Amino acid sequence: MGKYVPYAISAIIVGILSWYYFIFRGFAVSIGFINSVVAFSTIFIIGMSFILGPLARFIHFFRVWLAYRKDFGLIGFAFAALHIALVVPMLLLEATREFDFGDVASLAVAALAFMIFTLMALTSTAKWVEKLGYDNWKNLQRLGYIAIVLVLFHVVLLEKGVFLTRIIGQIAVAFVLIILLLRGIAQVLGMPPHEEIKV
Ligand code: HEM
């Protein structure tokens, strides 16, 4: 299948979101909407690294894709870092912007999620698997499911839930809920994780 698949799919995700914001909706290419493209791309790309595990348990076809989880995770992490880098000047430019309790809580859980994603990215090497031992390493990587729930709260709490009234926000939230549902069902059915098939 080739090692560039995660990059190609990530590019397609960014392309579709860019088309939606800048062509279909005709929004200006401002830092705010560039951030929207980057932030929602983060959710879909990081989400790919989480959904492949449960998907491969149900559908044989996806077992070959298990090897792409790390790439999707690292590409998604890079987008999350870019999102935060964009948010800082954005907030500085909107000095008069008011933050209510929901916004502050949203940023707090987002920061926690980003810390977990950073830990996962930093320990995503064979050296760390050896250092921590496979079981500990696997448990650390599973913290990612907590982080993606925190991201869900980040998006839902922002601006009094305005993203739940917008189609991209609704699709992103639904995607994360599907990931959690599949993971939950696989867990309840006690379906064993599949070993990666080398690509
Ligand atoms: C320290 C970490 C983070 C901070 C400080 C942060 C901050 C923000 C801020 C201020 C906004 C509102 C932007 C606006 O008004 O347009 C926002 C929106 C958003 N953030 Fe984050 N975020 C963080 C981490 C994350 C992570 C890890 C993800 C995803 C995995 C994420 C996904 C989103 C999404 C989807 C939006 C809505 C985009 C939009 O404004 O249209 N954020 N974030």
Side-chain angles (χ1 to χ4, degrees), residues 132-151:
L132 297 170
Y134 182 76
D135 291 343
N136 291 337
W137 178 82
K138 197 74 190 162
N139 288 335
L140 195 153
Q141 295 298 315
R142 285 197 182 110
L143 283 179
Y145 285 99
I146 296 173
I148 209 145
V149 171
L150 293 172
V151 167

PDB file of all heavy atoms in Angstrom, residues 132-151:
ATOM      1  N   LEU A 132      10.025   1.233  28.510  1.00  0.00           N
ATOM      2  CA  LEU A 132       8.847   1.175  29.387  1.00  0.00           C
ATOM      3  C   LEU A 132       8.323  -0.247  29.562  1.00  0.00           C
ATOM      4  O   LEU A 132       7.616  -0.554  30.515  1.00  0.00           O
ATOM      5  CB  LEU A 132       7.734   2.051  28.806  1.00  0.00           C
ATOM      6  CG  LEU A 132       8.004   3.559  28.701  1.00  0.00           C
ATOM      7  CD1 LEU A 132       6.914   4.230  27.876  1.00  0.00           C
ATOM      8  CD2 LEU A 132       8.095   4.172  30.075  1.00  0.00           C
ATOM      9  N   GLY A 133       8.662  -1.110  28.550  1.00  0.00           N
ATOM     10  CA  GLY A 133       8.047  -2.442  28.538  1.00  0.00           C
ATOM     11  C   GLY A 133       6.759  -2.322  27.728  1.00  0.00           C
ATOM     12  O   GLY A 133       6.064  -1.297  27.819  1.00  0.00           O
ATOM     13  N   TYR A 134       6.435  -3.334  26.913  1.00  0.00           N
ATOM     14  CA  TYR A 134       5.343  -3.217  25.954  1.00  0.00           C
ATOM     15  C   TYR A 134       4.018  -2.867  26.634  1.00  0.00           C
ATOM     16  O   TYR A 134       3.305  -1.961  26.190  1.00  0.00           O
ATOM     17  CB  TYR A 134       5.181  -4.490  25.126  1.00  0.00           C
ATOM     18  CG  TYR A 134       4.088  -4.378  24.099  1.00  0.00           C
ATOM     19  CD1 TYR A 134       4.279  -3.646  22.931  1.00  0.00           C
ATOM     20  CD2 TYR A 134       2.837  -4.950  24.321  1.00  0.00           C
ATOM     21  CE1 TYR A 134       3.261  -3.497  22.002  1.00  0.00           C
ATOM     22  CE2 TYR A 134       1.817  -4.810  23.393  1.00  0.00           C
ATOM     23  CZ  TYR A 134       2.035  -4.073  22.243  1.00  0.00           C
ATOM     24  OH  TYR A 134       1.022  -3.915  21.333  1.00  0.00           O
ATOM     25  N   ASP A 135       3.672  -3.522  27.733  1.00  0.00           N
ATOM     26  CA  ASP A 135       2.376  -3.288  28.388  1.00  0.00           C
ATOM     27  C   ASP A 135       2.243  -1.855  28.901  1.00  0.00           C
ATOM     28  O   ASP A 135       1.230  -1.190  28.672  1.00  0.00           O
ATOM     29  CB  ASP A 135       2.161  -4.292  29.532  1.00  0.00           C
ATOM     30  CG  ASP A 135       1.956  -5.702  28.968  1.00  0.00           C
ATOM     31  OD1 ASP A 135       1.659  -5.791  27.755  1.00  0.00           O
ATOM     32  OD2 ASP A 135       2.145  -6.682  29.717  1.00  0.00           O
ATOM     33  N   ASN A 136       3.292  -1.359  29.582  1.00  0.00           N
ATOM     34  CA  ASN A 136       3.256   0.031  30.079  1.00  0.00           C
ATOM     35  C   ASN A 136       3.142   1.003  28.919  1.00  0.00           C
ATOM     36  O   ASN A 136       2.368   1.964  28.965  1.00  0.00           O
ATOM     37  CB  ASN A 136       4.537   0.342  30.863  1.00  0.00           C
ATOM     38  CG  ASN A 136       4.604  -0.418  32.155  1.00  0.00           C
ATOM     39  OD1 ASN A 136       3.575  -0.835  32.685  1.00  0.00           O
ATOM     40  ND2 ASN A 136       5.819  -0.647  32.636  1.00  0.00           N
ATOM     41  N   TRP A 137       3.915   0.721  27.857  1.00  0.00           N
ATOM     42  CA  TRP A 137       3.901   1.615  26.686  1.00  0.00           C
ATOM     43  C   TRP A 137       2.503   1.637  26.056  1.00  0.00           C
ATOM     44  O   TRP A 137       1.974   2.695  25.734  1.00  0.00           O
ATOM     45  CB  TRP A 137       4.935   1.138  25.665  1.00  0.00           C
ATOM     46  CG  TRP A 137       4.956   1.956  24.428  1.00  0.00           C
ATOM     47  CD1 TRP A 137       5.596   3.147  24.248  1.00  0.00           C
ATOM     48  CD2 TRP A 137       4.286   1.669  23.207  1.00  0.00           C
ATOM     49  NE1 TRP A 137       5.352   3.628  22.981  1.00  0.00           N
ATOM     50  CE2 TRP A 137       4.547   2.725  22.318  1.00  0.00           C
ATOM     51  CE3 TRP A 137       3.471   0.618  22.764  1.00  0.00           C
ATOM     52  CZ2 TRP A 137       4.036   2.778  21.039  1.00  0.00           C
ATOM     53  CZ3 TRP A 137       2.968   0.650  21.474  1.00  0.00           C
ATOM     54  CH2 TRP A 137       3.253   1.729  20.625  1.00  0.00           C
ATOM     55  N   LYS A 138       1.911   0.434  25.952  1.00  0.00           N
ATOM     56  CA  LYS A 138       0.576   0.326  25.344  1.00  0.00           C
ATOM     57  C   LYS A 138      -0.429   1.109  26.195  1.00  0.00           C
ATOM     58  O   LYS A 138      -1.259   1.844  25.668  1.00  0.00           O
ATOM     59  CB  LYS A 138       0.182  -1.164  25.278  1.00  0.00           C
ATOM     60  CG  LYS A 138      -0.949  -1.477  24.328  1.00  0.00           C
ATOM     61  CD  LYS A 138      -0.514  -1.411  22.885  1.00  0.00           C
ATOM     62  CE  LYS A 138      -1.698  -1.495  21.947  1.00  0.00           C
ATOM     63  NZ  LYS A 138      -1.360  -1.026  20.595  1.00  0.00           N
ATOM     64  N   ASN A 139      -0.337   0.989  27.510  1.00  0.00           N
ATOM     65  CA  ASN A 139      -1.254   1.726  28.399  1.00  0.00           C
ATOM     66  C   ASN A 139      -1.066   3.229  28.255  1.00  0.00           C
ATOM     67  O   ASN A 139      -2.047   3.986  28.253  1.00  0.00           O
ATOM     68  CB  ASN A 139      -1.026   1.299  29.853  1.00  0.00           C
ATOM     69  CG  ASN A 139      -1.555  -0.105  30.094  1.00  0.00           C
ATOM     70  OD1 ASN A 139      -2.460  -0.554  29.381  1.00  0.00           O
ATOM     71  ND2 ASN A 139      -0.950  -0.823  31.015  1.00  0.00           N
ATOM     72  N   LEU A 140       0.195   3.655  28.083  1.00  0.00           N
ATOM     73  CA  LEU A 140       0.449   5.082  27.887  1.00  0.00           C
ATOM     74  C   LEU A 140      -0.193   5.556  26.586  1.00  0.00           C
ATOM     75  O   LEU A 140      -0.856   6.594  26.544  1.00  0.00           O
ATOM     76  CB  LEU A 140       1.965   5.334  27.862  1.00  0.00           C
ATOM     77  CG  LEU A 140       2.445   6.764  28.008  1.00  0.00           C
ATOM     78  CD1 LEU A 140       3.827   6.778  28.623  1.00  0.00           C
ATOM     79  CD2 LEU A 140       2.488   7.484  26.677  1.00  0.00           C
ATOM     80  N   GLN A 141      -0.054   4.745  25.531  1.00  0.00           N
ATOM     81  CA  GLN A 141      -0.658   5.116  24.248  1.00  0.00           C
ATOM     82  C   GLN A 141      -2.190   5.151  24.354  1.00  0.00           C
ATOM     83  O   GLN A 141      -2.857   5.942  23.697  1.00  0.00           O
ATOM     84  CB  GLN A 141      -0.215   4.142  23.148  1.00  0.00           C
ATOM     85  CG  GLN A 141       1.267   4.178  22.841  1.00  0.00           C
ATOM     86  CD  GLN A 141       1.748   5.519  22.316  1.00  0.00           C
ATOM     87  OE1 GLN A 141       1.117   6.109  21.457  1.00  0.00           O
ATOM     88  NE2 GLN A 141       2.833   6.036  22.877  1.00  0.00           N
ATOM     89  N   ARG A 142      -2.748   4.302  25.224  1.00  0.00           N
ATOM     90  CA  ARG A 142      -4.203   4.281  25.368  1.00  0.00           C
ATOM     91  C   ARG A 142      -4.729   5.546  26.048  1.00  0.00           C
ATOM     92  O   ARG A 142      -5.911   5.873  25.956  1.00  0.00           O
ATOM     93  CB  ARG A 142      -4.628   3.049  26.180  1.00  0.00           C
ATOM     94  CG  ARG A 142      -4.536   1.749  25.381  1.00  0.00           C
ATOM     95  CD  ARG A 142      -5.316   0.616  25.994  1.00  0.00           C
ATOM     96  NE  ARG A 142      -5.153  -0.603  25.197  1.00  0.00           N
ATOM     97  CZ  ARG A 142      -4.471  -1.676  25.610  1.00  0.00           C
ATOM     98  NH1 ARG A 142      -3.916  -1.678  26.821  1.00  0.00           N
ATOM     99  NH2 ARG A 142      -4.348  -2.724  24.831  1.00  0.00           N
ATOM    100  N   LEU A 143      -3.826   6.306  26.709  1.00  0.00           N
ATOM    101  CA  LEU A 143      -4.241   7.584  27.298  1.00  0.00           C
ATOM    102  C   LEU A 143      -4.830   8.492  26.217  1.00  0.00           C
ATOM    103  O   LEU A 143      -5.592   9.409  26.479  1.00  0.00           O
ATOM    104  CB  LEU A 143      -3.036   8.287  27.933  1.00  0.00           C
ATOM    105  CG  LEU A 143      -2.527   7.788  29.276  1.00  0.00           C
ATOM    106  CD1 LEU A 143      -1.310   8.620  29.702  1.00  0.00           C
ATOM    107  CD2 LEU A 143      -3.625   7.870  30.326  1.00  0.00           C
ATOM    108  N   GLY A 144      -4.447   8.180  24.977  1.00  0.00           N
ATOM    109  CA  GLY A 144      -4.934   8.964  23.847  1.00  0.00           C
ATOM    110  C   GLY A 144      -6.455   9.014  23.791  1.00  0.00           C
ATOM    111  O   GLY A 144      -7.026  10.022  23.366  1.00  0.00           O
ATOM    112  N   TYR A 145      -7.117   7.939  24.226  1.00  0.00           N
ATOM    113  CA  TYR A 145      -8.587   7.938  24.202  1.00  0.00           C
ATOM    114  C   TYR A 145      -9.135   8.968  25.195  1.00  0.00           C
ATOM    115  O   TYR A 145     -10.156   9.604  24.933  1.00  0.00           O
ATOM    116  CB  TYR A 145      -9.126   6.537  24.498  1.00  0.00           C
ATOM    117  CG  TYR A 145      -8.968   5.593  23.334  1.00  0.00           C
ATOM    118  CD1 TYR A 145      -7.919   4.681  23.273  1.00  0.00           C
ATOM    119  CD2 TYR A 145      -9.854   5.653  22.255  1.00  0.00           C
ATOM    120  CE1 TYR A 145      -7.763   3.839  22.189  1.00  0.00           C
ATOM    121  CE2 TYR A 145      -9.703   4.812  21.158  1.00  0.00           C
ATOM    122  CZ  TYR A 145      -8.653   3.904  21.134  1.00  0.00           C
ATOM    123  OH  TYR A 145      -8.499   3.085  20.042  1.00  0.00           O
ATOM    124  N   ILE A 146      -8.438   9.174  26.319  1.00  0.00           N
ATOM    125  CA  ILE A 146      -8.845  10.217  27.272  1.00  0.00           C
ATOM    126  C   ILE A 146      -8.645  11.580  26.606  1.00  0.00           C
ATOM    127  O   ILE A 146      -9.516  12.453  26.671  1.00  0.00           O
ATOM    128  CB  ILE A 146      -8.013  10.112  28.567  1.00  0.00           C
ATOM    129  CG1 ILE A 146      -8.294   8.779  29.269  1.00  0.00           C
ATOM    130  CG2 ILE A 146      -8.291  11.291  29.495  1.00  0.00           C
ATOM    131  CD1 ILE A 146      -7.401   8.508  30.463  1.00  0.00           C
ATOM    132  N   ALA A 147      -7.496  11.722  25.912  1.00  0.00           N
ATOM    133  CA  ALA A 147      -7.197  13.010  25.259  1.00  0.00           C
ATOM    134  C   ALA A 147      -8.248  13.351  24.206  1.00  0.00           C
ATOM    135  O   ALA A 147      -8.679  14.499  24.098  1.00  0.00           O
ATOM    136  CB  ALA A 147      -5.809  12.949  24.617  1.00  0.00           C
ATOM    137  N   ILE A 148      -8.721  12.349  23.455  1.00  0.00           N
ATOM    138  CA  ILE A 148      -9.688  12.657  22.394  1.00  0.00           C
ATOM    139  C   ILE A 148     -11.057  13.008  22.997  1.00  0.00           C
ATOM    140  O   ILE A 148     -11.797  13.820  22.438  1.00  0.00           O
ATOM    141  CB  ILE A 148      -9.756  11.528  21.352  1.00  0.00           C
ATOM    142  CG1 ILE A 148     -10.140  12.130  19.994  1.00  0.00           C
ATOM    143  CG2 ILE A 148     -10.713  10.405  21.734  1.00  0.00           C
ATOM    144  CD1 ILE A 148      -9.504  11.486  18.825  1.00  0.00           C
ATOM    145  N   VAL A 149     -11.372  12.461  24.181  1.00  0.00           N
ATOM    146  CA  VAL A 149     -12.592  12.874  24.892  1.00  0.00           C
ATOM    147  C   VAL A 149     -12.441  14.328  25.361  1.00  0.00           C
ATOM    148  O   VAL A 149     -13.367  15.135  25.246  1.00  0.00           O
ATOM    149  CB  VAL A 149     -12.869  11.941  26.094  1.00  0.00           C
ATOM    150  CG1 VAL A 149     -13.986  12.491  26.966  1.00  0.00           C
ATOM    151  CG2 VAL A 149     -13.211  10.534  25.616  1.00  0.00           C
ATOM    152  N   LEU A 150     -11.228  14.685  25.822  1.00  0.00           N
ATOM    153  CA  LEU A 150     -10.970  16.068  26.246  1.00  0.00           C
ATOM    154  C   LEU A 150     -11.120  17.024  25.061  1.00  0.00           C
ATOM    155  O   LEU A 150     -11.670  18.119  25.203  1.00  0.00           O
ATOM    156  CB  LEU A 150      -9.571  16.167  26.855  1.00  0.00           C
ATOM    157  CG  LEU A 150      -9.343  15.436  28.182  1.00  0.00           C
ATOM    158  CD1 LEU A 150      -7.855  15.465  28.568  1.00  0.00           C
ATOM    159  CD2 LEU A 150     -10.189  16.037  29.293  1.00  0.00           C
ATOM    160  N   VAL A 151     -10.667  16.575  23.885  1.00  0.00           N
ATOM    161  CA  VAL A 151     -10.813  17.412  22.679  1.00  0.00           C
ATOM    162  C   VAL A 151     -12.291  17.616  22.353  1.00  0.00           C
ATOM    163  O   VAL A 151     -12.715  18.708  21.972  1.00  0.00           O
ATOM    164  CB  VAL A 151     -10.073  16.780  21.479  1.00  0.00           C
ATOM    165  CG1 VAL A 151     -10.466  17.458  20.174  1.00  0.00           C
ATOM    166  CG2 VAL A 151      -8.567  16.860  21.675  1.00  0.00           C
TER     167      VAL A 151
END
